Amino acid sequence: MKNDFRLQYPLWQMGFIILLGAFAYGLSSPMTEVVNTETENSIMISIGGTQSLFAMIALLLYFILLAVFAYQLRKHNKNNPHQKVSAFSIRPPEYLEQDEGMTYITRKAAQKVYTFITWSLPLLAAFAIILPLPKLFIIWGILLVALGQYWIYYREVRSHLKEETE
């Protein structure tokens, strides 16, 4: 159970979220020029030197992580035909419900995540309304909430699994 891909799934998602945050930083101050005349309609976006490099590295790492994730997912599905994980499922693959104990652990972890989201999203919205935050900080706030939910879920499930092994 310790090496179950479904248990590792939140870690993968956290990696993707961190890389998206880095990519957002790289694109945070592009220069946008809109041309809208009778003869031409175009939008030109140019990104500065260091930030452009940062965005490209983050994007490259994202695709590398995506390829490794796809490989691990395919490997898990091949080795565990009775516990296949779909990359495009509406139901999160972290739900570990093969028996009553795991159903309880999953429910408890999901409750903690729900409580976190219930408090964090309104607070984030309040900060975004009250403070004149740049768009990048709002994006980072949303990504931070997403990162937090996966961290809470992973920590809760992991703590229960450690108790079982002791």
Side-chain angles (χ1 to χ4, degrees):
M1 184 65 182
K2 187 177 180 182
N3 293 324
D4 192 337
F5 183 78
R6 296 169 303 161
L7 180 62
Q8 298 169 1
Y9 187 80
L11 297 174
W12 286 99
Q13 294 305 316
M14 286 188 276
F16 286 123
I17 290 167
I18 290 168
L19 287 174
L20 280 175
F23 183 69
Y25 170 74
L27 295 179
S28 66
S29 66
M31 301 296 288
T32 305
E33 181 183 341
V34 178
V35 177
N36 190 10
T37 64
E38 290 180 16
T39 58
E40 182 181 0
N41 289 328
S42 65
I43 298 175
M44 186 175 79
I45 299 174
S46 60
I47 303 171
T50 325
Q51 289 180 317
S52 174
L53 181 64
F54 200 82
M56 295 313 255
I57 290 172
L59 191 60
L60 178 66
L61 290 174
Y62 188 89
F63 285 123
I64 290 170
L65 186 64
L66 190 61
V68 173
F69 174 77
Y71 172 76
Q72 290 293 334
L73 181 65
R74 193 172 30 243
K75 183 177 161 186
H76 169 78
N77 287 341
K78 183 180 175 187
N79 294 340
N80 302 295
H82 58 285
Q83 293 178 344
K84 286 190 173 188
V85 175
S86 171
F88 303 106
S89 174
I90 293 174
R91 187 171 188 267
E94 303 98 37
Y95 287 173
L96 306 168
E97 299 179 329
Q98 62 264 25
D99 59 24
E100 288 179 20
M102 289 311 295
T103 301
Y104 171 76
I105 292 169
T106 298
R107 188 182 81 229
K108 190 171 180 181
Q111 285 174 340
K112 286 188 176 189
V113 167
Y114 182 76
T115 302
F116 169 72
I117 289 176
T118 300
W119 286 98
S120 62
L121 285 180
L123 284 172
L124 178 63
F127 281 124
I129 291 169
I130 294 170
L131 301 174
L133 297 174
K135 185 173 31 172
L136 177 64
F137 288 175
I138 295 170
I139 291 169
W140 278 353
I142 293 168
L143 292 175
L144 192 60
V145 169
L147 190 70
Q149 79 172 13
Y150 282 113
W151 175 251
I152 290 167
Y153 182 89
Y154 178 76
R155 192 187 67 209
E156 182 67 22
V157 171
R158 193 77 170 148
S159 71
H160 283 286
L161 292 178
K162 280 186 177 181
E163 288 174 6
E164 286 181 3
T165 57
E166 291 176 353

